[in-house]
Amino acid sequence: MIQTPPGRAFTLPRKAVLLAAAVFVTLILVPAFCHQGYALRLMGMIFMGIALASCWNIMSGYTGYIDFGPAAYFGIGAYATALLMVRGGVPFFLSIVLGGVVAVAFAVPVGLPTLRLRGAYFAIATFAFAEATRQAVLEWDRVLGVNFFQGSHGITLPIGPTHQFFYYTFLVIMTVLFVITYLVERSRMGYALKAIHEAEDAAELIGVNTLKIKIYAYAISAFFTAVIGGVDAYWLTYITPNDVFSVHITIKMVIMCLLGGMGTLLGPVVGASFLTLISEPLWARFPYDYLIIIGVIIVLVIVAMPKGIVGTLLEWKVDSRGT
Amino acid sequence: MGPEQNIILEGRGVSRYFGALAALSGIDFSLYEGEILGLIGPNGSGKTTLFNVIVGVCRPSEGKVFFEGRDISGMSPHRICQMGIAKTSQIVQPFTRMTVAENVLVGAMYGGGLPQKEAWEKTREILAFVNLDKVMNTPSGKISIPERRRLELARALATSAKVILLDENMAGLNPNEIEEALDLLRAIRERGVTLMVVEHIMRAVMGISDRMIVFNYGEKIAEGTPREVAENPSVIRAYLGDKYA
Amino acid sequence: MLIQAIITGLLLGGIYAVYSAGFSLIFGVMGVVNIAHGDLVMLGAFTSYWLFTLGHIDPFLSIPFSALTLFIVGYGIQRLIINRVVEAPPIMSYICTFGIHLIIANLALRLWTADYRSITTSYCGSHLECAGLVIPYARLATFGMAVVMVGGLYLFLNRTDIGRAIRATAQDREMARLMGVRANHVYAMTFGIGAAITGVAGSLISSYFVIYPQMGLSYTVTAFCVVVLGGMGYIPGALLGGLILGVLESLTATYWNAGMSSALTFFILFLMLIFMPAGITGKGIVE
Ligand SMILES: Nc1ncnc2c1ncn2[C@@H]1O[C@H](COP(=O)(O)OP(=O)(O)OP(=O)(O)O)[C@@H](O)[C@H]1O
Ligand SMILES: [Mg+2]
């Protein structure tokens, strides 16, 4: 947990800002020097991972409410974008934003009842919601006798631009989410989120409208998850319900965040980079044992480093200062 | 009591059932502005339940609660807090991984409705007032029991509450610490806060209360000055009787 | 047709009840939402499958083997892994069991390929016919076993020393420890027993359903639903929840669309959590 000493809440550490800006500028320049499709694609995927992990972090990392259903919003965003572009001829960037809006339109009514649930119940309810949306999109056409989502046949999008395009799109989304997380962490809302995590009833008792704060966090998270889903749909050019509503998307978000450190600014960055970088070569080398190895890594990390990479480092730093 | 007899908080016929159990039955009470009202009763007599009903943690099954003349029954806890009633909990619930100051800050920002900058100022003032300024940057999970009790109070004060309900805020303190806690309560009253105090430590609550109410099995069995209450036969029978008769 | 659908549903629900009881036990005692639960069903099913295919042992006779195998697996998982995160925030145990799910499901995939398999016993076609209703013997026997297993688990928890130790630990870990209960061992026993009964369900399932290494997750999801219906952590609730879900699914499949029955499962699950988190019995654990 990053502590903000009183009085310094509004001043950013100068060095950190400079460093972040330098990284950002470097990342903008990379495609100018590196024309390798593979490298840009890999970087793009890392950015997407960081963005997704940040979405989950804003909601679950800070509040401790384990959302096991973000795949619902990823899928909603993917389908909204696909349908808008294919059926409505809506331009890409407008489509992804509209996809985010659709996701919020789901997140608020879904969040209102579910965010009153605690612990495992919230986790299971959100999971059920995600699976229900997947099933609904899968079965919709058959049950209603229409031709809308095209069930398991999926939807083909217009052929997307180059990897470089997605590199920049995800770089922007990732940066926006990073800045939002930074601002939220220092804002009133950030304190309320952490308070909810620690002792929700006590937070409510000292004036925090906990449900409202949770809904905000949930809606922000849903909006961006859907935007990312929309971009990814365009990148993939072909989507089916089983791909974009997959529980594996949820799990990836959770694990990246957990690996890096939940409720920390840098956790998603570290976790997503780590997971993407190790899983790509693993997947290439051991396509059949890949998931087994990932399973082993998950278990080992949880048992050995329950606070995640960033959390463990922070703790180290605190301990070595002799607190 | 002095001349000001403004009722700030009032309950009329408040009942609360848990299944067949009547944790509170038909409680009437009035809290006068500026006073310290002691609430005593044996274990399980409904003291905590009354507090929970007042601050909106649970709804009254029957009856109503009025704050400054407005019906607040059924409102959510954060609304009631923002209106001006805060409660400290029997079981302290600090936000353990946040610093002591941040704990108080949340109260000042949300309960007190202050912007962050003003909230920090208020936080510093209150931490100095309850004598927690030395540990303000310590994670609240790492402070001592008496400090935690004071932190509960500090969070309540930070919300700019007009009424603070204290549920066994002195439990687990030694005699010296109790004296300090009592001084602090008097100082809080000096700030113009009205207090309602649940306490098992009889000497403490008798000493500090202007008036007292006694509960037994969810019913109010006596009301009056500490002396009147102490001499009331039904109180001795029902309450003290358990332990001393 | 209605009665036939209900009977089919009840027979199916019996199976749901068995492995959901295991899930409920593990959640009730340790607060662990075991995402790898369906994989334990799969392991039980494959134990019976191999004993049948290689050793010609009838799936009903191989029940003790799969129970024992799964007990060992469950005990080991808890002892080696989950005991280390049981005190940590619950998310840790969820993710941990998800990791275990990945390991088990994909190891099975590597060992046994993705093929769909089934057991063909001599009696698998025979059934009881009365008043126009068709009741396969195997399913009837399965249902009987299921009821016996859930009842047995309930009695075990209430009547035996280890059962009482488990319940004591579930209620108050610290207190139980002070009274000389070794929590780590009790937890491992709990997981072992929960896994064993789930392994039995797997054997029963192998006697008339297709089985394949990736079947686990959908069984886990059904267990969520059953357990939430009956009340999380309340063992007899699993029987009630299992039967209700079985009948509902069977009715949906008969009168509407088989594809809708799993959508319905989630829908019920979602609504139950929101409106009746303690389950139909009202006896589930709600924090
Ligand atoms: N949420 C609840 N559900 C069911 N019963 C409850 C609940 N809260 C309190 N009770 C019951 O209501 C009665 C009154 O409890 P309460 O906590 O108000 O007593 P108390 O006077 O504060 O006792 P103590 O001095 O021990 O703190 C008790 O019998 C208690 O068991
Ligand atoms: Mg009490």
Side-chain angles (χ1 to χ4, degrees):
Chain A
M1 187 111 329
I2 293 169
Q3 309 287 352
T4 324
R8 280 191 46 207
F10 305 99
T11 52
L12 327 181
R14 229 247 194 72
K15 263 190 278 179
V17 176
L18 285 178
L19 184 67
V23 169
F24 184 65
V25 170
T26 314
L27 290 177
I28 289 179
L29 295 177
V30 163
F33 301 104
C34 163
H35 303 286
Q36 262 186 306
Y38 173 78
L40 288 186
R41 196 186 129 260
L42 185 63
M43 295 283 282
M45 286 182 53
I46 293 178
F47 298 161
M48 175 166 108
I50 294 174
L52 280 174
S54 303
C55 287
W56 197 78
N57 193 37
I58 287 177
M59 168 66 208
S60 300
Y62 286 99
T63 64
Y65 271 72
I66 305 308
D67 179 4
F68 261 156
Y73 300 111
F74 190 90
I76 287 171
Y79 265 85
T81 301
L83 291 170
L84 283 167
M85 287 177 74
V86 174
R87 301 271 162 77
V90 180
F92 169 69
F93 285 109
L94 182 57
S95 299
I96 56 175
V97 174
L98 289 176
V101 174
V102 173
V104 172
F106 274 89
V108 173
V110 168
L112 270 172
T114 48
L115 285 165
R116 292 171 204 267
L117 299 167
R118 300 264 172 109
Y121 290 81
F122 176 75
I124 296 177
T126 48
F127 176 76
F129 167 65
E131 283 295 298
T133 48
R134 182 176 66 85
Q135 290 282 346
V137 173
L138 207 52
E139 301 290 337
W140 190 270
D141 292 8
R142 202 147 54 97
V143 171
L144 296 183
V146 295
N147 188 11
F148 190 63
F149 291 118
Q150 300 177 6
S152 55
H153 296 300
I155 297 185
T156 307
L157 286 87
I159 296 295
T162 57
H163 289 316
Q164 190 172 329
F165 173 85
F166 292 104
Y167 175 98
Y168 281 120
T169 310
F170 278 128
L171 176 61
V172 170
I173 296 175
M174 170 188 89
T175 309
V176 168
L177 275 160
F178 187 80
V179 172
I180 288 181
T181 311
Y182 179 85
L183 293 176
V184 163
E185 185 162 278
R186 265 132 241 262
S187 70
R188 294 164 69 84
M189 180 169 163
Y191 286 109
L193 290 173
K194 290 184 215 169
I196 288 170
H197 193 167
E198 303 289 325
E200 182 166 355
D201 298 328
E204 179 78 26
L205 272 177
I206 56 174
V208 180
N209 186 345
T210 51
L211 187 61
K212 190 169 101 183
I213 299 277
K214 286 183 289 185
I215 297 263
Y216 283 163
Y218 189 64
I220 293 174
S221 176
F223 177 85
F224 283 101
T225 307
V227 168
I228 298 164
V231 180
D232 198 38
Y234 196 30
W235 203 2
L236 292 167
T237 68
Y238 171 66
I239 57 170
T240 67
N242 288 335
D243 295 332
V244 294
F245 288 94
S246 163
V247 63
H248 288 275
I249 289 173
T250 296
I251 292 293
K252 212 165 100 179
M253 292 168 75
V254 177
I255 288 170
M256 287 188 298
C257 193
L258 205 70
L259 278 176
M262 284 171 63
T264 59
L265 179 61
L266 286 174
V269 178
V270 175
S273 311
F274 177 78
L275 191 72
T276 316
L277 285 176
I278 59 163
S279 58
E280 277 292 309
L282 273 182
W283 195 73
R285 281 283 295 282
F286 312 99
Y288 301 107
D289 298 316
Y290 165 71
L291 286 174
I292 303 175
I293 301 173
I294 295 289
V296 171
I297 292 175
I298 291 170
V299 171
L300 285 180
V301 168
I302 296 235
V303 170
M305 271 198 301
K307 296 231 159 61
I309 299 170
V310 174
T312 309
L313 289 178
L314 278 179
E315 208 158 70
W316 246 25
K317 212 171 119 193
V318 171
D319 284 347
S320 65
R321 269 206 243 111
T323 320
Chain B
M1 281 305 301
E4 34 19 315
Q5 288 279 306
N6 279 337
I7 292 179
I8 187 162
L9 183 69
E10 185 181 15
R12 288 190 207 144
V14 177
S15 299
R16 170 74 211 197
Y17 306 106
F18 292 109
L21 175 86
L24 291 176
S25 29
I27 301 290
D28 294 308
F29 70 91
S30 308
L31 181 67
Y32 294 101
E33 201 166 342
E35 76 171 335
I36 297 183
L37 176 66
L39 173 56
I40 60 170
N43 287 107
S45 57
K47 308 179 295 288
T48 299
T49 307
L50 179 67
F51 276 10
N52 283 342
V53 166
I54 295 174
V55 298
V57 168
C58 57
R59 282 166 184 273
S61 310
E62 286 157 16
K64 287 196 157 72
V65 180
F66 297 90
F67 177 62
E68 296 182 323
R70 281 178 64 188
D71 182 1
I72 58 166
S73 13
M75 284 187 185
S76 55
H78 69 267
R79 274 290 297 136
I80 292 176
C81 171
Q82 287 161 3
M83 289 176 70
I85 307 178
K87 178 182 93 117
T88 70
S89 296
Q90 191 166 358
I91 300 155
V92 292
Q93 286 183 315
F95 310 130
T96 43
R97 286 185 306 168
M98 294 164 75
T99 64
V100 168
E102 286 170 332
N103 267 262
V104 179
L105 180 76
V106 174
M109 286 192 299
Y110 283 90
L114 296 175
Q116 208 169 341
K117 208 163 198 163
E118 284 77 16
W120 272 118
E121 279 158 23
K122 174 121 192 164
T123 298
R124 277 201 213 89
E125 185 262 318
I126 284 178
L127 287 175
F129 177 73
V130 302
N131 194 18
L132 281 177
D133 41 355
K134 276 158 229 89
V135 291
M136 70 186 294
N137 292 324
T138 310
S140 62
K142 299 204 170 136
I143 57 178
S144 68
I145 300 283
E147 284 168 341
R148 280 180 204 210
R149 295 282 177 197
R150 294 211 296 280
L151 176 57
E152 281 277 318
L153 260 177
R155 283 201 308 206
L157 282 169
T159 67
S160 305
K162 297 174 194 152
V163 172
I164 298 183
L165 315 177
L166 294 114
D167 197 350
E168 299 192 28
N169 196 250
M170 289 173 224
L173 302 189
N174 69 32
N176 278 336
E177 290 160 354
I178 289 174
E179 279 313 315
E180 284 168 23
L182 288 174
D183 287 340
L184 184 57
L185 293 195
R186 291 192 188 95
I188 290 173
R189 190 240 291 263
E190 290 305 305
R191 290 169 72 108
V193 178
T194 308
L195 296 174
M196 197 158 162
V197 181
V198 164
E199 203 55 67
H200 275 302
I201 304 158
M202 213 38 72
R203 210 174 50 77
V205 69
M206 292 265 175
I208 196 163
S209 302
D210 301 311
R211 282 190 317 126
M212 292 180 71
I213 294 180
V214 188
F215 276 10
N216 195 22
Y217 293 114
E219 287 178 31
K220 186 169 83 174
I221 57 166
E223 182 167 8
T225 62
R227 172 172 298 237
E228 283 163 7
V229 161
E231 288 165 359
N232 185 318
S234 60
V235 174
I236 296 168
R237 200 173 334 113
Y239 185 76
L240 301 173
D242 287 357
K243 283 175 185 159
Y244 302 102
Chain C
M1 192 157 85
L2 176 67
I3 296 175
Q4 177 71 56
I6 290 177
I7 289 179
T8 310
L10 286 175
L11 296 180
L12 177 67
I15 298 264
Y16 288 173
V18 181
Y19 64 81
S20 303
F23 183 88
S24 190
L25 174 68
I26 293 170
F27 178 82
V29 174
M30 295 172 285
V32 171
V33 174
N34 180 22
I35 295 173
H37 203 72
D39 300 291
L40 302 179
V41 175
M42 183 271 294
L43 288 180
F46 269 87
T47 307
S48 284
Y49 174 82
W50 289 118
L51 285 172
F52 180 80
T53 310
L54 304 177
H56 305 289
I57 299 174
D58 186 272
F60 283 96
L61 295 180
S62 63
I63 283 176
F65 293 99
S66 55
L68 184 67
T69 313
L70 267 292
F71 177 83
I72 294 168
V73 170
Y75 191 95
I77 288 177
Q78 179 72 30
R79 206 67 219 232
L80 296 176
I81 304 170
I82 301 179
N83 267 344
R84 293 169 206 269
V85 294
V86 108
E87 306 266 293
I91 172 81
M92 296 299 171
S93 64
Y94 309 164
I95 301 298
C96 214
T97 58
F98 181 78
I100 295 167
H101 151 72
L102 283 181
I103 298 172
I104 297 179
N106 291 289
L107 266 179
L109 189 65
R110 283 295 264 156
L111 289 174
W112 303 323
T113 74
D115 292 351
Y116 287 54
R117 296 158 194 268
S118 60
I119 292 179
T120 318
T121 50
S122 55
Y123 50 81
C124 75
S126 55
H127 53 255
L128 186 75
E129 259 190 80
C130 82
L133 299 173
V134 180
I135 304 171
Y137 285 125
R139 287 207 174 194
L140 200 58
T142 304
F143 180 77
M145 276 298 294
V147 176
V148 169
M149 291 307 298
V150 178
L153 179 62
Y154 184 70
L155 289 181
F156 170 82
L157 289 175
N158 285 288
R159 298 283 160 80
T160 63
D161 282 345
I162 178 78
R164 277 189 276 264
I166 287 174
R167 288 191 309 134
T169 314
Q171 261 153 29
D172 189 338
R173 182 186 162 99
E174 268 316 293
M175 202 59 187
R177 200 178 59 79
L178 291 176
M179 285 158 54
V181 175
R182 285 181 300 146
N184 276 346
H185 173 67
V186 170
Y187 280 175
M189 287 298 288
T190 307
F191 205 106
I193 292 163
I197 186 171
T198 305
V200 173
S203 292
L204 297 175
I205 283 166
S206 76
S207 72
Y208 62 86
F209 278 121
V210 261
I211 63 171
Y212 50 100
Q214 305 289 50
M215 66 195 255
L217 213 50
S218 67
Y219 282 84
T220 303
V221 169
T222 314
F224 280 173
C225 188
V226 167
V227 163
V228 168
L229 270 171
M232 292 269 262
Y234 176 63
I235 303 293
L239 189 57
L240 187 66
L243 297 181
I244 292 175
L245 187 68
V247 171
L248 281 175
E249 285 192 354
S250 167
L251 289 175
T252 325
T254 312
Y255 290 102
W256 195 6
N257 180 319
M260 286 312 289
S261 74
S262 61
L264 179 82
T265 308
F266 296 115
F267 195 60
I268 294 171
L269 177 53
F270 190 67
L271 292 183
M272 280 299 296
L273 282 166
I274 289 163
F275 295 108
M276 297 178 85
I280 290 177
T281 58
K283 291 193 175 164
I285 304 166
V286 186
E287 270 127 307

